[in-house]
Amino acid sequence: MTAAGGLILAGGGHSHALLLKRWAMRPERRPEHSITLVNRSSTTLYSGMVPGLIAALYKRDELAIDLRQLCDRAGVAFVEAEITGLNPQAKCLRLRDRPALHFDWLSLDVGSVSRPSAAGIPIKPLEASLAFLESENPADPKPLRVIGAGAAGLEVVLALRRRWPQRELQLQQRSGQLNPGIQEVLQRARIALIENDTPHSGPNLLCTGSQGPDWLATTGLPLDPNGRIRTDRCLRVEDHPSLFASGDCAVISGSPRPASGVWAVRAGRPLATNLEAACQGQPLRPWHPQRQALQLIGSHQDAAWARWGSLRLGPSPLLWRLKQRIDRAFMDGFQPPASMADAEPMACRGCAAKLPAQPLEAALERVRLKGQPEDAARVPGDQELLQSVDGFPALVSDPWLNGRLTTLHACSDLWACGAAVSSAMATITLPMVPTNEQQELLVQTLAGIRSVLDEQGAELIGGHTMESRSPAPVPASLGVQVTLTVNGASPSPWLKSGLRPGDALLISRPLGTGVLFAGAMAGASKAADLDAALREMACSQHMLLEQIEPIREGIHACTDITGFGLLGHLGEMLQNSPELIVKLDGPAIPAYPGALDLFERGVSSTLAPSNRAAWRWLEGPIQLKQHPSAALLELLVDPQTCGPLLLACSSEAAAQLTQNGLWLQIGNATAAHG
């Protein structure tokens, strides 16, 4: 690999998860180059425990490997995106709705999909089939049929019996496929054994074997009859020396093995060894997988079979306990070490990297710039043109998403003035990495910026690039810093200082991004909670202006809640209004899932201690209608990235805005006397 090269890990399957775990535990083994993992979700499910999830024995969190957190620990950038194709000649990986990623080395572990053989819901991809099972009614009189009586179909139908003790279940087999012992177990479980081609009017779940994802057929890579990528014993794709493949999407031509989580796990170490060697220009080592592997298959009761080739043992309660012990030990290996929670908190990123209010105010006062703070400023000589500037250190390691989030955050200043964004200019500081890596980071960042501006009909009209003079972090994408100047126009912009007695206070989205990202750095935030926050943060709020326009006269003041938290920015709205009191309804203030729990566990952003000075407002013009919990007090000063708009409006306007659930009322303003 050249000094400027990059490695992309496509897919978050078991082999790649183990590879990341290896680099997290032994960072000296990680290649000293740009490395990115691309997966369609931030978690991957451990296949050995999926039947237990279907049986409702486990919660999803118990078998979800947190890929984003694992990448953070391993020094690898994480990109959540759908892979749609691959051009081996151009060395680019195509993604849905965003630019392709270029690579020098590529490792594919993209899993498999169910082979279509009948109408029904395929068991793979798992996300869709698990959602289907969640939607099913246990009391539905129509029988659910599992098509396919191999190991997967057998384990799934027995798991469904445990999940639904009363619902009629069927298992469709080939004639004579199952031996009498298994048929007896199915009979005791009240699962009807059906021959192929028997008519059925109820839902079907397809466990009909697997094949490689459909898009692999368009790549020109060597594939076997099941659409799986052919590799040599070094897990290198045949005739493509810079490509590797493992897991269910691949097969070793000289040692074909069935698509199974067992083999994907076994491939983890040889894949890691050969990727590390390839990146260092060293010889690769062939892998000679054993011919058979032990498989433990759970039954509908607390028992399991052991299968080794054609040999079967059980079902036995002892084997069931062994299976649970193996599965839980596997998952325990992906838990962050206790030392992460005990370590000194790392400095927060995003808007939590803002300068605290006290030194900022003191500096502005010394140079005589202190005054009523507003989100955007009028441009001298043009009474309608507004301008603002914002930016922060990279919040996430995905440069496209970071570009999008930074742009949304900057645009929020104009939205808070009731102005549509018309144009922007960007200054992008890139880390000290090889030139082609800088180019890739710049392409992805600019595309993320454009994705926001294009939605609003705005233009990126110029900018500037710089190279940092500090050592690049790992991953280097965290060294990208974006600053944007945004422009818009409004003949009568909303101000922060227009609050009136009788106004309702409305908020447009939850709070808690600061603590969620602080928790993520400590390994304390749940993947699902961070996903929920990122989905909301990545949504543009410019559409809210269109909703407000018909009742614009009823809007009296507005701001966006960013680094100083709700109390800090509400305090800015009140600082020149001694005649007003704001009463906040604590329980009505929305928080992202998991945020309050993190506060209760003592987690907070590194900007929170200075923000707590804003609690002084609770002793004056801001009052809470109920006695606050400690977690609520922390939420009130939590720094926000891509935070909500905070709107003060007439009661009539509030009634209209809160009808569709996009706005929530969290308080009201009253006169201080009378």
Side-chain angles (χ1 to χ4, degrees), residues 29-109:
R29 293 182 178 271
R30 183 188 61 238
E32 295 181 358
H33 306 288
S34 165
I35 308 175
T36 302
L37 173 75
V38 183
N39 197 57
R40 63 172 176 259
S41 63
S42 70
T43 58
T44 188
L45 298 180
Y46 170 45
S47 61
M49 295 173 73
V50 167
L53 177 64
I54 293 174
L57 294 175
Y58 304 125
K59 295 179 180 178
R60 195 181 183 110
D61 285 352
E62 294 181 81
L63 59 148
I65 299 171
D66 189 337
L67 295 173
R68 183 185 288 112
Q69 182 191 98
L70 198 56
C71 283
D72 287 345
R73 291 166 50 201
V76 171
F78 174 73
V79 169
E80 184 174 348
E82 183 77 26
I83 299 171
T84 59
L86 166 66
N87 186 329
Q89 288 71 40
K91 290 192 171 183
C92 67
L93 188 70
R94 298 192 184 99
L95 308 178
R96 189 178 306 282
D97 299 328
R98 53 185 292 171
L101 292 173
H102 288 78
F103 59 84
D104 282 337
W105 297 95
L106 176 70
S107 178
L108 294 152
D109 186 13

Side-chain angles (χ1 to χ4, degrees), residues 279-448:
C279 289
Q280 296 169 14
Q282 297 176 354
L284 307 186
R285 299 179 185 177
W287 179 41
H288 299 278
Q290 62 192 69
R291 292 186 175 274
Q292 305 291 346
L294 177 67
Q295 287 184 296
L296 296 172
I297 303 171
S299 75
H300 67 296
Q301 297 173 324
D302 291 336
W305 285 282
R307 188 170 77 169
W308 180 274
S310 59
L311 301 177
R312 288 180 175 82
L313 178 66
S316 160
L318 182 62
L319 291 173
W320 171 249
R321 289 194 291 272
L322 176 62
K323 174 176 171 53
Q324 286 193 307
R325 183 175 180 179
I326 292 173
D327 289 341
R328 291 189 182 279
F330 181 83
M331 287 302 302
D332 287 345
F334 289 97
Q335 296 304 308
S339 57
M340 283 187 66
D342 300 333
E344 189 72 20
M346 292 183 285
C348 289
R349 294 176 165 272
C351 203
K354 199 170 186 174
L355 189 70
Q358 190 277 327
L360 173 62
E361 291 172 0
L364 293 175
E365 189 168 7
R366 287 179 62 184
V367 295
R368 294 191 292 277
L369 289 174
K370 187 171 172 60
Q372 172 65 37
E374 296 296 347
D375 291 302
R378 290 184 187 273
V379 175
D382 190 324
Q383 288 302 303
E384 294 191 4
L385 185 60
L386 297 172
Q387 190 174 82
S388 185
V389 62
D390 215 331
F392 43 69
L395 180 66
V396 293
S397 59
D398 175 353
W400 181 90
L401 180 57
N402 187 65
R404 180 171 177 83
L405 293 177
T406 311
T407 309
L408 288 167
H409 188 86
C411 289
S412 183
D413 284 334
L414 286 190
W415 302 334
C417 296
V421 176
S422 59
S423 63
M425 299 186 76
T427 298
I428 301 173
T429 302
L430 297 165
M432 285 195 296
V433 292
T435 303
N436 70 336
E437 287 187 36
Q438 288 182 331
Q439 177 181 314
E440 188 71 13
L441 290 172
L442 184 59
V443 166
Q444 296 295 325
T445 301
L446 287 171

